[in-house]
Amino acid sequence: MADDTRIADELEAPSSPPVSQGKLVWKRFLSNRLAVASAILFILILIFSISAIGLGPIPGWWRFNYKELNPQYQQGAPTWLHPFGQDRIGKDYFALTMRGIQNSILVMVVLGLIASVVGVVVGAVAGYFRGVVDAILMRITDVFIVIPALVIGSVVGHIFGGLGAFFLALMLGFFSWMGIARLVRGEFLSLREREFVEAARVAGASDTRIIFKHILPNAIGVVIVASTLIMASAILLETALSYLGYGIQPPDVSLGLLISSNQSAFQTRPWLFWWPGAFIVTLALLVNFVGDGLRDAFDPRHRRFNLRKMREQEPEEGEGDGRTPKTGAALAEDVL
């Protein structure tokens, strides 16, 4: 009788509310300390660069402008007045570096967004409809893939580089979508055979609704991770184009253009390379670390196996606690 009462109480007890997929992903991402620290540092660098020299008509707290010429002190070496030094014509290098960070991040974000949108549309349509549509779209994708990105970027930069960082990133984004398109196509080929897609067809949902309301939310993890990786490569592409003279054009600046403009002074004034080079490497690494954290958050199977934590959870030999030993699957679940 007591057992029946206990079972009835357990059945009537309210169950814990289900946790949404978004909360699970967010929790896994927050558990990755390196990814969280990278995201925070990336945001702080962006805020610092904007607050230092301002943005558009909004002024910053730094006393010098990246366009104005100033008298050179100690042949442009770093001083208390110019902590990053000055270039060969007297411009403050701290202001130039902050402006380069703004433009490089702008190129990174705009290129990533455009490439993601175009790649998702092409990959989703090809993977969902298959057949002739898939063959045509994938052959177009193959044509763009075989052309080196630096060659396409040089042509685009030569035409649109003088229009500013935004238009350069916009046009480069239309030639950087191929990787996302192939990833999204693979996901759609798998997801279109699932039961929830068949249920949506039976319910009378249109193809557009099935693609963007039912299948795409289940493939969003692949899209986000691929977008972050494209953003990390975007800053390196912009740096290479600016170094070759096909990227952002003066009087505007970018981190790659700063290195290109001062390459002849590498032996005499190396600080002109230290700061833009350090920020290029830092920004690329931070975005890559965030992308790795997002990959682990959306797909826990990619997380690293922690052998030390596994050994800590295993009971010592001869120290049984009377409980049923955990299976390998249960231990792996605890580690994850």
Side-chain angles (χ1 to χ4, degrees):
M1 185 65 182
D3 293 339
D4 294 340
T5 304
R6 180 177 57 81
I7 294 175
D9 292 340
E10 291 179 355
L11 292 176
E12 293 177 359
S15 58
S16 58
V19 181
S20 64
Q21 180 67 19
K23 290 182 178 180
L24 287 175
V25 170
W26 180 246
K27 183 178 179 181
R28 294 192 197 109
F29 180 77
L30 292 179
S31 64
N32 191 325
R33 297 179 180 178
L34 180 59
V36 173
S38 300
I40 294 174
L41 184 56
F42 181 86
I43 295 174
L44 289 178
I45 291 176
L46 176 60
I47 294 175
F48 182 76
S49 65
I50 294 175
S51 64
I53 62 171
L55 186 63
I58 304 175
W61 51 264
W62 187 242
R63 70 184 74 180
F64 298 108
N65 188 279
Y66 71 94
K67 294 181 180 179
E68 63 182 352
L69 302 179
N70 307 283
Q72 275 199 351
Y73 297 92
Q74 299 181 6
Q75 298 181 347
T79 61
W80 66 271
L81 190 62
H82 303 280
F84 282 21
Q86 295 173 274
D87 66 359
R88 64 181 183 275
I89 58 177
K91 291 184 178 180
D92 180 72
Y93 213 62
F94 176 81
L96 288 172
T97 304
M98 294 301 105
R99 179 61 178 175
I101 291 174
Q102 291 181 10
N103 281 334
S104 296
I105 292 180
L106 177 62
V107 170
M108 179 190 305
V109 173
V110 174
L111 190 153
L113 290 176
I114 298 300
S116 299
V117 172
V118 177
V120 165
V121 172
V122 173
V125 173
Y128 180 79
F129 290 104
R130 297 189 300 184
V132 178
V133 176
D134 181 26
I136 294 175
L137 291 178
M138 287 300 101
R139 297 299 77 75
I140 295 175
T141 303
D142 294 337
V143 170
F144 281 98
I145 286 179
V146 297
I147 303 176
L150 197 58
V151 174
I152 297 179
S154 300
V155 175
V156 173
H158 178 72
I159 300 174
F160 300 98
L163 299 179
F166 178 80
F167 288 99
L168 176 64
L170 186 67
M171 298 309 301
L172 287 176
F174 287 109
F175 295 95
S176 305
W177 49 267
M178 293 78 71
I180 291 184
R182 297 182 73 88
L183 289 174
V184 172
R185 172 182 174 269
E187 286 293 310
F188 268 67
L189 288 174
S190 174
L191 293 174
R192 74 184 303 276
E193 306 298 334
R194 299 289 181 85
E195 291 79 3
F196 66 91
V197 177
E198 294 295 332
R201 290 196 187 100
V202 172
S206 62
D207 292 333
T208 303
R209 182 176 180 83
I210 293 176
I211 291 175
F212 293 102
K213 295 292 184 181
H214 296 279
I215 302 181
L216 184 58
N218 290 277
I220 196 65
V222 174
V223 175
I224 293 177
V225 173
S227 298
T228 56
L229 297 179
I230 285 183
M231 290 170 61
S233 62
I235 188 173
L236 301 179
L237 176 61
E238 183 275 328
T239 300
L241 293 178
S242 296
Y243 185 80
L244 296 174
Y246 296 110
I248 298 172
Q249 302 297 322
D252 210 349
V253 296
S254 68
L255 296 177
L257 183 59
L258 290 177
I259 294 179
S260 176
S261 301
N262 299 286
Q263 57 181 328
S264 60
F266 179 75
Q267 297 293 335
T268 57
R269 290 178 292 176
W271 58 86
L272 298 179
F273 287 80
W274 293 344
W275 297 111
F279 279 109
I280 288 172
V281 174
T282 300
L283 292 175
L285 286 177
L286 291 179
V287 176
N288 271 313
F289 289 148
V290 173
D292 290 341
L294 291 173
R295 180 198 62 192
D296 295 340
F298 280 101
D299 191 355
R301 293 173 299 178
H302 287 147
R303 297 186 66 179
R304 295 179 179 178
F305 182 78
N306 194 332
L307 182 60
R308 184 176 64 180
K309 189 173 181 181
M310 171 72 78
R311 288 176 175 175
E312 289 177 354
Q313 293 182 359
E314 290 181 350
E316 296 291 338
E317 185 177 355
E319 295 183 359
D321 55 359
R323 294 179 297 178
T324 303
K326 289 186 176 182
T327 63
L331 288 174
E333 184 179 355
D334 291 341
V335 173
L336 297 176

